[in-house]
């Protein structure tokens, strides 16, 4: 069951939205000022935040900015302001959507469903695309590599080589195959280039973290195995 946080200082509006959301099957929490709302949004698990812009203690745009520093939690802004500049400010600040008061509850519910679908689709892409071995994580979309949560600085060639080996995890890949896929068919530097870059990867991935993921198959090539 999806959990939604309402941050809205007008208690009647917050209560009305809460009842409608609960009727639709969502779990709901409420906060009536920006500071309390930010505390909830950054310390408890929610699937979406409905955030009023004009809030006491901490305005909605500042709450949004601080949420974005901590996570990509979906946020829909609720506001009486309908000026284009306000909408642009909210969206540029990281809001996923923007709805102007007064609004029809059916439209709000539709926007919530659309935002949650978008979040689910992004999570599927992230989950299906991430490659891993032991505590090593590689994100081919962001082109990021982490070991034990530490971000590594890899060159493009190192990243591409690691990515290809992870795509073929537990399969021995020959030096010739690696040359063709990473360096290109017309590369004339010899298979020694593969050995050199494997040493580079070991120096960055294995040695600092005490791992043994890159295995040499003598006379053939290399394979990545879970530690």
């Amino acid at each position: 069951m999806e959990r939604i946080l309402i941050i809205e200082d007008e208690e009647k509006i917050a209560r009305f939205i809460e009842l409608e959301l609960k009727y639709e099957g969502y779990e709901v929490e409420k906060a009536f000022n920006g500071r309390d709302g930010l505390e909830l949004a950054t310390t408890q698990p929610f699937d979406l935040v409905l955030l009023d812009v004009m809030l006491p203690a901490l305005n909605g745009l500042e709450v949004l900015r601080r949420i974005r520093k901590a996570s990509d939690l979906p946020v829909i802004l609720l506001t009486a302001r309908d000026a284009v500049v306000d909408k642009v400010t909210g969206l540029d600040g990281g809001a996923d959507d923007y709805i102007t008061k007064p609004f029809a509850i059916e439209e709000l519910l539709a926007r919530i469903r659309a935002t949650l679908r978008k979040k689910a689709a992004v999570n599927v892409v992230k989950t299906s695309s991430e490659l891993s071995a032991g505590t090593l994580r590689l994100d081919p979309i962001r082109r990021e590599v982490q070991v034990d949560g530490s971000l590594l600085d890899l060159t493009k060639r190192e990243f591409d080589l690691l990515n290809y080996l992870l795509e073929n995890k537990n399969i021995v890949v020959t030096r010739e195959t690696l040359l063709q896929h990473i360096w290109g068919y017309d590369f004339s530097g010899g298979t020694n280039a593969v050995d050199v870059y494997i040493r580079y990867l070991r120096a960055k991935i294995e040695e600092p973290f005490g791992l043994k993921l890159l295995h040499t198959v003598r006379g053939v090539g290399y394979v990545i195995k879970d530690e």
Side-chain angles (χ1 to χ4, degrees), residues 70-138:
S71 74
D72 58 358
L73 175 64
V75 176
I76 297 177
L77 292 179
L78 309 176
T79 182
R81 298 181 175 182
D82 61 358
V84 171
V85 66
D86 293 321
K87 295 180 181 180
V88 170
T89 300
L91 294 172
D92 282 350
D96 295 85
D97 202 353
Y98 188 115
I99 189 166
T100 303
K101 300 176 185 177
F103 50 79
I105 191 64
E106 292 81 6
E107 181 183 2
L108 177 61
L109 293 172
R111 288 174 183 259
I112 289 171
R113 289 192 295 268
T115 302
L116 290 173
R117 281 197 302 270
K118 187 188 302 181
K119 176 194 174 187
V122 168
N123 286 342
V124 167
V125 170
K126 286 183 178 178
T127 302
S128 62
S129 65
E130 183 180 88
L131 302 171
S132 65
T135 57
L136 169 69
R137 299 286 183 273
L138 182 147

Side-chain angles (χ1 to χ4, degrees), residues 4-8 14 17-18 21 28-31 50 78:
I4 295 178
L5 172 62
I6 303 169
I7 308 176
E8 166 63 70
I17 296 173
E18 178 188 26
L21 291 178
V28 180
E29 292 285 341
K30 301 192 302 297
L50 297 177
L78 309 176

Side-chain angles (χ1 to χ4, degrees), residues 51-64:
L51 175 62
D52 187 30
V53 171
M54 301 298 291
L55 290 170
L58 203 64
N59 74 66
L61 293 178
E62 180 61 20
V63 172
L64 173 63

Side-chain angles (χ1 to χ4, degrees), residues 121-186:
V122 168
N123 286 342
V124 167
V125 170
K126 286 183 178 178
T127 302
S128 62
S129 65
E130 183 180 88
L131 302 171
S132 65
T135 57
L136 169 69
R137 299 286 183 273
L138 182 147
D139 187 333
I141 296 174
R142 295 183 178 179
R143 293 187 68 84
E144 291 180 351
V145 176
Q146 297 185 31
V147 177
D148 286 337
S150 298
L151 198 62
L152 304 187
D153 183 18
L154 300 186
T155 67
K156 181 182 184 302
R157 189 85 72 189
E158 290 166 352
F159 182 92
D160 292 343
L161 177 58
L162 180 62
N163 185 74
Y164 190 80
L165 288 168
L166 283 170
E167 287 177 341
N168 294 276
K169 188 169 68 173
N170 299 318
I171 299 171
V172 178
V173 184
T174 67
R175 289 176 175 83
E176 290 75 16
T177 298
L178 290 170
L179 276 176
Q180 291 174 0
H181 281 84
I182 309 304
W183 278 264
Y185 286 93
D186 57 351

Side-chain angles (χ1 to χ4, degrees), residues 200-220:
Y200 293 161
L201 286 176
R202 283 176 171 156
K204 292 184 177 182
I205 293 170
E206 295 186 336
E207 295 169 13
F209 301 97
L211 300 179
K212 183 59 180 175
L213 300 173
L214 289 154
H215 298 269
T216 303
V217 180
R218 188 165 298 177
V220 182

